[in-house]
Amino acid sequence: RKEVEQDPGPFNVPEGATVAFNCTYSNSASQSFFWYRQDCRKEPKLLMSVYSSGNEDGRFTAQLNRASQYISLLIRDSKLSDSATYLCVVNMNGDFNKFYFGSGTKLNVKP
Amino acid sequence: NAGVTQTPKFQVLKTGQSMTLQCAQDMNHEYMSWYRQDPGMGLRLIHYSVGAGITDQGEVPNGYNVSRSTTEDFPLRLLSAAPSQTSVYFCASKDVGGTETQYFGPGTRLLVL
């Protein structure tokens, strides 16, 4: 079983749509959670950290469900520029120096 | 600030050759790491360092060596390249701590024939 699992997609949505991704993780000792964005053939960049209480940044909302061991990302009012691959990242075994990346969920926002 | 820089951008090697991928950061970050990314897979941690003189293994360390003689630089050495090491390699740095943002370099695309 993979440590971090994501639906690879692609999710094809029209501009203005709301889209949600989930990511499940296998290690209950994980304590740090992140969503990164990766554009084609580019380096990953942090989109947002995920806190226990959930957090929001503009059109983006991240939630953590420790009981079911998943994190989610909600994007409202999708823009063409949101088209990218979204990577879920979790630290390994509670170790703050080691991180597992999911294989990513691809989002295509269409005009 | 240049952030995290990596050289070279592209490299072709023959099986058995050795080479060093360079990584440097100018943000005074103690933590640096190397990942590889293969098609359809997430980034996998190769090695990491929490400061000069301190390195440790990640998820896929075999076939790679690292050293950290300065805070700024964290080179990755391929001792004897194999086709299975064909990948995109990313270097990253961050402040020490569990919730800090990792900043990635632009990557090195390596093809081993």
Side-chain angles (χ1 to χ4, degrees):
Chain A
R1 181 185 173 189
K2 289 184 181 178
E3 296 290 335
V4 178
E5 298 211 54
Q6 296 183 250
D7 181 342
F11 285 61
N12 298 308
V13 302
E15 270 187 294
T18 296
V19 62
F21 310 135
N22 277 348
C23 163
T24 57
Y25 60 95
S26 62
N27 195 309
S28 60
S30 299
Q31 297 175 28
S32 297
F33 309 91
F34 308 88
W35 283 104
Y36 276 73
R37 170 194 169 126
Q38 186 174 30
D39 294 298
C40 187
R41 299 177 73 80
K42 298 285 191 180
E43 72 272 22
K45 293 183 180 179
L46 180 71
L47 179 67
M48 57 198 310
S49 302
V50 186
Y51 305 119
S52 295
S53 56
N55 48 303
E56 186 174 313
D57 183 2
R59 298 182 292 108
F60 300 87
T61 300
Q63 297 281 353
L64 167 63
N65 185 315
R66 285 191 185 274
S68 300
Q69 293 183 205
Y70 74 85
I71 66 174
S72 63
L73 178 67
L74 180 77
I75 305 175
R76 290 180 297 276
D77 189 22
S78 298
K79 311 291 185 192
L80 295 175
S81 58
D82 293 333
S83 296
T85 296
Y86 291 84
L87 307 175
C88 171
V89 183
V90 177
N91 72 314
M92 295 182 188
N93 302 320
D95 185 340
F96 288 135
N97 293 316
K98 296 182 179 180
F99 299 91
Y100 280 110
F101 280 70
S103 55
T105 297
K106 186 165 176 59
L107 172 65
N108 295 319
V109 181
K110 309 286 189 181
Chain B
N1 278 357
V4 181
T5 57
Q6 292 184 236
T7 56
K9 286 187 169 52
F10 305 96
Q11 184 70 48
V12 179
L13 289 179
K14 294 181 179 177
T15 297
Q17 287 185 314
S18 63
M19 79 160 293
T20 299
L21 279 61
Q22 301 291 347
C23 174
Q25 52 93 9
D26 61 1
M27 296 174 282
N28 202 33
H29 287 160
E30 291 294 330
Y31 179 96
M32 295 185 74
S33 56
W34 277 102
Y35 293 88
R36 61 177 288 173
Q37 186 174 32
D38 301 304
M41 298 186 70
L43 279 73
R44 290 183 291 169
L45 182 65
I46 304 172
H47 286 287
Y48 69 95
S49 168
V50 296
I54 307 170
T55 63
D56 206 346
Q57 296 182 350
E59 189 182 358
V60 289
N62 292 340
Y64 307 95
N65 272 1
V66 292
S67 59
R68 185 94 179 270
S69 56
T70 67
T71 299
E72 295 79 17
D73 301 297
F74 190 43
L76 178 72
R77 279 181 282 277
L78 279 68
L79 308 173
S80 177
S84 60
Q85 294 179 304
T86 293
S87 190
V88 181
Y89 291 84
F90 289 103
C91 178
S93 74
K94 71 178 185 71
D95 283 322
V96 174
T99 61
E100 301 300 321
T101 302
Q102 288 197 78
Y103 295 90
F104 285 84
T108 293
R109 285 176 167 73
L110 177 67
L111 174 62
V112 183
L113 301 175

